[in-house]
């Protein structure tokens, strides 16, 4: 095992070398700009997952000290960006010392090939992991009674400090999503995510450490910050490493995320793939084989697996061990979710699938884009959006619109509702690309009828409908996303271009629901 590294990088600070004391001067000239750029990336990433996560980023700078420093010297030199972060420096007085202890406590495996990674680089990584864990221990203790949770990033040496980002998220929202058991690691010590949010945090930290190790971080843009959708896709890939490792597979070779995306995208004789794939080692006590395949089919033989999926029913699924489909069978008995060795991939419809465990959906993927298993629509958020967009506070009108939206959400082929204060004028303007109707208050029955056809339904805040089957217009915008369909992107174009207060509710075929307001398009 590698001996612990006393400092993050060479040359070490010799014992007796004066260390910087607290000062109003920054550790490096661009630290404020770097933090602001990291905050912008975090806003885009976590707002896309759930805007109520409310991310906040600050920087923690730990002095790289040698042994023998006094307790006061240690905590006095700790710094923050912004300087008024509501954390006391003395809490981090012994984290470097604790980090070294954690290096010895963890049996992390490292490559022995010097052509792949030098011993010095391995020591630096080992030290970084120890320090990150030590800081996380402090943050967990500080957050015990807080409404937020804090997540330590990776440290990078800047001058005589180890600088790391700390991300804070809303505790209640974070904990509202199901997850696997925490504190999981690859054999080399890297953290293994237990949820999609955790995977997004790890990807965010990766981008931060790449930027922090560049010359003069923050002097320009972050190293070409990745697109939000790209980071989320990368997080989805990372999260699917967890079931692969739990089944004893090599996550890098299994590539479950890409495999599930490809299988879900294939049709068989024109039909979309619907069915379940149960992932577990062969002989699992909660699986019973209906019949076995003489020659197991590799999961990477996508078309063959898609063909086999056609034989599945509501209670008979494909059985796979992470590499091959070996049988058709069903789940039996009472599965102990604490085992975490039986996972479900549910193919919902074309290019849409879910990752499930213990009867709970952990992640959804639609056209290769992962998302959290959010409720179809949050009632509180909907009321807030109505109030913000239309200053609508009349509870009777709000409830009427809510009933309309609930009925529209049951439309299995998806639909689009547009609420605007100028619904009558807009219906007249778009009369050549819609079907005009006599103004009528929407009831559940009428809503079910008018959402059965393609196109948007145009209504006002009083729930009166003026036109159906509307083909929306709008100026081209950079706010759309290629991972969502035409219905979603046309709604964004219309809302962003409209001179009137308006709000769109998009119901996708896979059950996703989005409320699009001018504020939400500006925040993206």
């Amino acid at each position: 095992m590698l001996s612990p590294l006393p400092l993050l990088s060479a040359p070490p600070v010799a014992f007796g070398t004066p260390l910087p004391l607290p000062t109003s001067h920054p550790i490096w000239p661009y630290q404020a700009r770097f933090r602001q750029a990291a905050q912008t990336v975090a806003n885009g990433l976590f707002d896309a997952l759930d805007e109520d996560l409310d991310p906040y980023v600050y920087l923690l700078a730990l002095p790289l000290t040698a042994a023998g420093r006094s307790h006061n010297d240690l905590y006095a030199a700790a710094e923050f960006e912004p300087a008024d972060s509501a954390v006391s420096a003395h809490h981090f007085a012994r984290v470097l010392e604790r980090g070294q202890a954690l290096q010895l406590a963890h049996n992390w495996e490292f490559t022995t090939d010097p052509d792949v990674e030098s011993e010095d680089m391995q020591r630096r990584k080992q030290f970084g992991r120890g320090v990150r864990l030590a800081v996380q221990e402090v943050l967990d203790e500080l957050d015990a009674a807080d409404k937020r949770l804090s997540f330590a990033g990776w440290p990078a040496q800047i001058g005589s400090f180890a600088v790391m980002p700390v991300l804070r998220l809303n505790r209640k929202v974070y904990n509202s999503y199901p997850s696997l058991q925490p504190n999981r690691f690859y054999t080399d010590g890297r953290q293994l995510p237990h949820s999609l949010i955790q995977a997004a945090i790890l990807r965010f930290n990766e981008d931060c450490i790449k930027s922090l190790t560049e010359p003069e971080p923050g002097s320009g843009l972050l190293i070409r910050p990745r697109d939000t959708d790209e980071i989320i896709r990368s997080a989805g890939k990372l999260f699917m490493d967890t079931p692969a490792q739990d089944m004893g597979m090599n996550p890098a070779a299994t590539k479950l995320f890409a495999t599930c995306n490809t299988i879900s995208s294939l049709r068989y004789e024109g039909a979309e793939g619907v069915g379940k794939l149960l992932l577990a080692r062969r002989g699992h006590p909660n699986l019973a084989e209906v019949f076995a395949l003489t020659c197991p089919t590799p999961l990477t033989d996508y078309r063959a697996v898609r063909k086999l999926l056609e034989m599945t029913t509501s209670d008979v699924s494909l059985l796979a061990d992470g590499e091959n489909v070996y049988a058709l069978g069903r789940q039996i008995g009472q599965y102990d979710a604490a085992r975490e060795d039986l996972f479900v991939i549910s193919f919902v419809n074309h290019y849409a699938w879910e990752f499930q465990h213990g009867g709970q959906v952990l992640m959804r993927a639609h056209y290769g884009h992962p998302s959290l298993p959010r409720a179809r629509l949050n009632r509180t958020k909907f009321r807030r959006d109505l109030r913000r967009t239309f200053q609508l506070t009349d509870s009777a009108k709000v409830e009427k619109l809510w009933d309309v939206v609930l009925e529209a959400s049951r439309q299995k082929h998806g639909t689009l509702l547009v609420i605007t204060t100028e619904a009558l004028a807009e219906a007249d303007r778009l009369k050549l690309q819609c079907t005009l109707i006599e103004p009528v208050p929407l009831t559940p029955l009428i809503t079910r009828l008018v959402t059965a056809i393609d196109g948007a339904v145009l209504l006002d805040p009083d729930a009166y409908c003026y036109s159906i089957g509307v083909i929306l217009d709008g100026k081209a915008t950079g706010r759309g996303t290629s991972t969502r369909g035409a219905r979603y992107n046309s709604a964004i174009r219309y809302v962003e271009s409209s001179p009137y207060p308006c709000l769109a509710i998009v119901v996708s075929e896979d059950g996703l629901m989005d409320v699009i307001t001018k504020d939400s398009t500006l925040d993206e």
Side-chain angles (χ1 to χ4, degrees):
M1 180 177 178
L2 296 173
S3 59
L5 190 69
L7 293 174
L8 190 59
S9 67
V13 178
F15 175 69
T17 301
L19 292 167
L21 295 175
T23 173
S24 59
H25 300 295
I27 295 169
W28 84 98
Y30 308 106
Q31 65 188 43
R33 289 179 59 182
F34 179 87
R35 193 208 72 83
Q36 290 165 2
Q39 181 68 57
T40 299
V41 173
N43 287 344
L45 174 59
F46 295 100
D47 285 356
L49 291 173
D50 188 324
E51 63 182 15
D52 291 329
L53 283 167
D54 191 22
Y56 176 74
V57 180
Y58 69 88
L59 301 181
L60 168 65
L62 302 169
L64 292 169
T65 64
R69 284 286 160 192
S70 72
H71 181 273
N72 289 337
D73 282 342
L74 284 168
Y75 79 71
E79 305 231 1
F80 303 91
E81 173 60 47
D84 60 355
S85 295
V87 186
S88 179
H90 76 273
H91 293 297
F92 301 94
R94 299 293 180 185
V95 291
L96 295 181
E97 183 180 322
R98 173 61 177 161
Q100 290 185 343
L102 289 171
Q103 292 178 55
L104 297 173
H106 287 77
N107 186 26
W108 292 322
E109 297 178 8
F110 292 88
T111 177
T112 56
D113 187 350
D115 293 330
V116 175
E117 198 170 74
S118 69
E119 183 173 312
D120 182 61
M121 180 58 70
Q122 294 176 41
R123 289 177 185 274
R124 296 174 199 275
K125 285 188 174 181
Q126 186 184 54
F127 176 81
R129 287 170 186 146
V131 171
R132 194 200 67 79
L133 287 175
V135 171
Q136 190 62 55
E137 287 181 348
V138 174
L139 295 175
D140 289 344
E141 185 175 347
L142 293 175
D143 290 342
D146 200 275
K147 293 182 179 180
R148 285 177 169 267
L149 292 171
S150 301
F151 303 91
W154 287 95
Q157 182 171 355
I158 299 179
S160 57
F161 286 84
V163 179
M164 64 172 66
V166 177
L167 171 70
R168 306 200 77 204
L169 298 175
N170 182 291
R171 175 191 293 271
K172 183 177 180 181
V173 178
Y174 180 89
N175 289 334
S176 68
Y177 292 101
S179 68
L180 299 173
Q181 296 176 29
N183 301 319
R184 317 165 80 92
F185 299 90
Y186 292 94
T187 56
D188 64 1
R190 289 179 298 135
Q191 194 169 2
L192 196 65
H194 57 270
S195 69
L196 180 60
I197 300 178
Q198 182 69 27
I201 293 170
L202 295 177
R203 291 307 195 198
F204 170 75
N205 287 336
E206 287 176 4
D207 279 12
C208 285
I209 190 64
K210 286 178 183 177
S211 298
L212 279 172
T213 52
E214 284 291 295
E216 299 292 348
S219 59
L221 295 175
L222 284 177
I223 295 179
R224 198 189 69 80
R226 290 189 289 176
D227 176 79
T228 294
D229 289 343
E230 182 184 349
I231 300 176
I232 294 177
R233 282 193 297 271
S234 181
K237 295 176 186 177
L238 183 63
F239 186 30
M240 292 305 289
D241 280 359
T242 301
Q245 178 148 309
D246 282 355
M247 291 186 297
M249 313 302 299
N250 178 3
T254 308
K255 297 180 179 178
L256 276 177
F257 184 78
T259 296
C260 294
N261 280 331
T262 304
I263 293 172
S264 69
S265 72
L266 299 176
R267 297 182 183 272
Y268 180 74
E269 295 185 351
E272 59 188 19
V274 177
K276 291 183 179 179
L277 175 72
L278 305 184
L279 293 169
R281 298 186 186 189
R282 195 162 194 174
H284 192 285
N286 293 110
L287 293 181
E289 297 181 8
V290 174
F291 67 85
L293 305 180
T294 302
C295 297
T297 300
L299 282 172
T300 51
D301 190 348
Y302 307 123
R303 293 194 177 278
V305 175
R306 172 62 190 88
K307 185 176 182 179
L308 292 173
L309 191 66
E310 200 67 16
M311 292 189 289
T312 62
T313 66
S314 59
D315 70 330
V316 176
S317 308
L318 298 183
L319 306 185
D321 57 11
E323 284 187 329
N324 302 297
V325 175
Y326 58 83
L328 270 78
R330 55 172 58 95
Q331 188 171 338
I332 59 172
Q334 187 65 37
Y335 169 63
D336 179 7
R339 292 172 56 108
E340 293 194 351
D341 59 358
L342 172 57
F343 305 94
V344 178
I345 304 297
S346 178
F347 296 98
V348 181
N349 50 41
H350 182 62
Y351 228 142
W353 56 277
E354 296 177 344
F355 172 44
Q356 304 174 358
H357 176 260
Q360 294 183 307
V361 178
L362 304 182
M363 180 178 75
R364 292 192 173 107
H366 183 242
Y367 281 86
H369 185 77
S371 64
L372 292 169
R374 289 184 287 181
R376 294 178 69 86
L377 187 62
N378 183 284
R379 185 172 187 159
T380 302
K381 181 180 181 303
F382 181 66
R383 293 174 66 94
R384 186 168 66 241
D385 288 334
L386 288 177
R387 184 171 61 252
R388 182 189 307 165
T389 304
F390 306 111
Q391 291 73 53
L392 185 60
T393 57
D394 187 313
S395 59
K397 291 183 178 180
V398 170
E399 288 304 309
K400 193 167 186 178
L401 286 170
W402 176 251
D403 290 341
V404 169
V405 170
L406 279 184
E407 187 60 43
S409 72
R410 301 186 180 101
Q411 181 55 255
K412 65 178 182 178
H413 296 299
T415 190
L416 171 58
L417 302 177
V418 175
I419 307 172
T420 173
T421 55
E422 301 299 324
L424 178 59
E426 284 293 273
D428 182 65
R429 184 178 70 84
L430 298 170
K431 61 187 175 184
L432 297 180
Q433 52 198 63
C434 70
T435 300
L436 294 173
I437 65 173
E438 292 297 318
V440 60
L442 289 180
T443 63
L445 172 60
I446 296 176
T447 301
R448 186 161 60 250
L449 297 176
V450 299
T451 57
I453 62 174
D454 291 337
V457 175
L458 204 59
L459 62 151
D460 65 17
D462 292 322
Y464 272 79
C465 179
Y466 296 85
S467 61
I468 61 176
V470 184
I471 300 174
L472 298 176
D473 59 4
K475 296 179 182 178
T477 172
R479 305 294 181 181
T481 170
S482 60
T483 63
R484 302 296 300 272
R487 183 183 289 124
Y488 178 86
N489 284 288
S490 66
I492 285 183
R493 287 195 300 271
Y494 180 83
V495 170
E496 195 168 84
S497 302
S498 176
Y500 312 115
C502 66
L503 175 152
I505 300 101
V506 183
V507 181
S508 301
E509 290 185 20
D510 61 354
L512 285 176
M513 286 190 68
D514 297 274
V515 177
I516 299 172
T517 66
K518 288 183 181 292
D519 288 339
S520 66
T521 60
L522 291 173
D523 291 341
E524 287 183 0

